[in-house]
Amino acid sequence: MRVWRGRGWGMAAVVAVVALWFGLNLDHRDRPAWALPLSGVVIAVDAGHGGPDGGAVSADGVTEKDVVLPVALYLRDFLQEAGALVVMTRETDADLAAPETKGLSRRKTEDLLARARLVNEKGADLLISVHANSVPSPRWFGAQTFYHPGREASGRVAALVQEELRAVLANTDRRPKRRSDLYLIRAVQCPAVLVEIGFLSHPREARLLADSGYQRALALAIYRGVLRYYAGEEPAADARGEGFLWYNGP
């Protein structure tokens, strides 16, 4: 696994010790129950978009639906290694709308409703929704977490995941942000966090988001934040703030 360091986006050496530290490569059958910190926890992992809904697209044609799915699948694997029961809203390039539903807008609405219903019906204890950002300006970059206002548990998860994104990637100083207009994290009954893993509108970040090593690093950061949440940890006081501070200067 590669860890990204500094503003220059340089790639450091492979750091397998991280995986070993968290026991990511150990077979469950060789570990006692107490070694599975997420045993019995139901976690829903949502890879945004899919099927006819590609989401955001970079200038080089990198599509949101195609970069968030590998991150979600890596995250699934990490969580299962820790004993969690993982509910995926999608594991292929597909949406959850009915095959006969016509029109992208109608399909997107039906898809979102189906995702929220699936998470609630499965009795998830936590939802992590993975997306990629895009804005008109190419200057902005960095992964950032979002949560619904007034949900204290969601805010804690968001802050812990953001801390780990900053620590693992070392290329962002963004902080968690409250959003009341994101349907999925508002509609589910469990704590929920939406993770924008980066900006497809930023050329360098778009290339990173298409890299499998970077995708795995993103998943690891999210996983580490989830582990800390279920270990009862509290985020640092300065990690609870809103907004974003990191940008691509001259």
Side-chain angles (χ1 to χ4, degrees), residues 46-49 64 68 129-133 184 194-198:
D46 170 61
H49 306 280
E64 180 178 3
V68 301
S129 184
V130 184
H131 286 258
N133 221 330
L184 187 58
L194 186 145
V195 184
E196 295 278 6
I197 58 175

Side-chain angles (χ1 to χ4, degrees), residues 24-161:
L24 302 183
N25 295 320
L26 299 180
D27 192 307
H28 285 167
R29 293 168 296 181
D30 298 330
R31 283 185 279 171
W34 53 262
L36 302 178
L38 300 179
S39 180
V41 178
V42 181
I43 299 179
V45 176
D46 170 61
H49 306 280
D53 178 15
V57 183
S58 76
D60 294 332
V62 179
T63 306
E64 180 178 3
K65 69 173 184 177
D66 293 329
V67 298
V68 301
L69 181 57
V71 174
L73 294 175
Y74 282 132
L75 178 58
R76 174 203 63 189
D77 294 345
F78 289 161
L79 293 169
Q80 287 179 340
E81 283 287 335
L85 174 62
V86 181
V87 175
M88 300 291 293
T89 59
R90 72 178 180 100
E91 295 181 280
T92 61
D93 181 16
D95 63 10
L96 274 65
E100 63 272 16
T101 301
K102 305 298 181 183
L104 182 58
S105 178
R106 290 184 61 194
R107 290 194 67 87
K108 290 176 69 171
T109 299
E110 187 175 316
D111 174 63
L112 278 174
L113 292 171
R115 291 178 193 238
R117 184 168 59 250
L118 174 65
V119 173
N120 288 332
E121 287 177 351
K122 293 296 184 179
D125 300 303
L126 175 67
L127 165 68
I128 301 292
S129 184
V130 184
H131 286 258
N133 221 330
S134 182
V135 293
S137 171
R139 74 182 298 198
W140 302 107
F141 62 85
Q144 186 170 22
T145 59
F146 296 85
Y147 65 99
H148 192 70
R151 298 192 177 182
E152 189 273 338
S154 297
R156 281 183 54 222
V157 182
L160 290 166
V161 170

